[in-house]
Amino acid sequence: MSDSAEPLLSRLADEGVLSQDDVEELRATLDSEALTSDGSHLTEELVAKKLLTPYQAETVCAGDLSNLVLGSYIVLDRLGQGGMGHVYKARHREMDRMVAIKVLPPDCVNSKTRLKRFQQEIKAAARLSHPNIVTAFDADVSSGLPYLVMEYIPGKDLQAMLDQHGALPIGDALKYVLQTARGLDYAHGVGVVHRDIKPSNLLLDETGVSRILDMGVAQVQDLSEEEDDKTRQFL
């Protein structure tokens, strides 16, 4: 890290990672030596004060603060990654709402196939609002990277539960299958076929409810065409 503490504070405020109030308070409480020290010492102080998360501090030390901002969202942590996107925990600046954001990686943006698939995932997620499906809130593009904003649900996916505890009790297994079936039935009713149901795509929230996620390979049917087909049958 090349920045000393004072310029780094300014950059964190300019990017919106820290509020102006936080920065002014830090300037008032840190001594002059701390403000002229290496920026890495400042990041340690900010983590201790819970003004930065460890993931944010790591990113700041890597020198690219822009990775911590996606539109109106401040990235807090990495939740996971796969071939079709990286998923982060983030907070909306104004609403102070925690969300999960799936971002198409830079090396996929120039792939017409992967970009089209990500756009299809966004359209599929936008159609769905059900207690057993993770809800999508928003979608946008930041610095050329498309992203999908979803509700953040603390918990583990079913595969992680199986890896940790082994086979589920029969009652729990039946409950999760039934909840998943309800979600899929609803999705089919609005023209969305998931096509990739597996334990790692079933998230268990803190109340033990199964929630379907990852519409990366979902098929979205044009319902208007389906209604036209039904109408033609009676003509």
Side-chain angles (χ1 to χ4, degrees):
M1 174 184 292
S2 58
D3 282 349
S4 61
E6 177 57 42
L8 179 58
L9 276 179
S10 297
R11 290 186 63 205
L12 289 169
D14 291 343
E15 293 288 348
V17 179
L18 294 181
S19 70
Q20 287 291 348
D21 289 342
D22 286 335
V23 170
E24 292 306 319
E25 183 177 344
L26 285 165
R27 284 176 173 148
T29 56
L30 294 175
D31 57 37
S32 58
E33 182 179 352
L35 288 173
T36 56
S37 65
D38 184 87
S40 60
H41 297 297
L42 174 64
T43 58
E44 293 175 3
E45 182 75 15
L46 294 177
V47 171
K49 291 179 177 293
K50 296 186 177 180
L51 294 174
L52 289 182
T53 66
Y55 174 79
Q56 288 176 318
E58 179 183 342
T59 304
V60 168
C61 290
D64 192 356
L65 276 65
S66 62
N67 288 337
L68 295 179
V69 180
L70 291 167
S72 297
Y73 300 90
I74 305 299
V75 175
L76 303 175
D77 200 4
R78 185 196 296 271
L79 297 176
Q81 68 180 69
M84 277 305 300
H86 298 172
V87 182
Y88 301 93
K89 180 181 178 181
R91 175 179 55 82
H92 192 282
R93 297 178 197 267
E94 302 300 329
M95 300 177 71
D96 201 30
R97 177 170 65 184
M98 295 298 174
V99 297
I101 299 184
K102 186 172 185 179
V103 184
L104 190 65
D107 59 347
C108 296
V109 173
N110 293 326
S111 168
K112 291 183 179 180
T113 300
R114 293 192 177 186
L115 181 58
K116 183 178 179 180
R117 186 178 296 177
F118 194 76
Q119 292 168 339
Q120 185 85 341
E121 177 177 2
I122 290 173
K123 290 180 180 179
R127 285 196 184 185
L128 305 173
S129 178
H130 189 273
N132 297 117
I133 302 175
V134 173
T135 301
F137 292 139
D138 192 12
D140 209 336
V141 178
S142 177
S143 300
L145 300 179
Y147 62 89
L148 171 65
V149 183
M150 303 165 287
E151 62 179 320
Y152 170 69
I153 301 175
K156 295 182 178 180
D157 64 63
L158 188 55
Q159 186 62 59
M161 293 286 291
L162 294 172
D163 292 342
Q164 184 176 358
H165 302 291
L168 297 170
I170 186 65
D172 288 344
L174 290 173
K175 178 178 70 174
Y176 299 145
V177 168
L178 179 59
Q179 291 173 346
T180 303
R182 287 171 178 160
L184 290 174
D185 181 62
Y186 162 80
H188 291 178
V190 296
V192 177
V193 181
H194 190 282
R195 301 201 301 178
D196 193 26
I197 288 296
K198 56 188 177 184
S200 61
N201 282 338
L202 300 175
L203 183 64
L204 302 182
D205 68 20
E206 293 177 312
T207 65
V209 174
S210 175
R211 310 284 294 276
I212 300 169
L213 69 157
D214 196 350
M215 297 291 166
V217 295
Q219 183 178 26
V220 182
Q221 184 176 11
D222 188 331
L223 294 183
S224 62
E225 290 183 3
E226 180 184 19
E227 292 301 319
D228 288 344
D229 290 340
K230 290 181 179 178
T231 301
R232 292 190 190 99
Q233 293 176 8
F234 296 98
L235 296 179

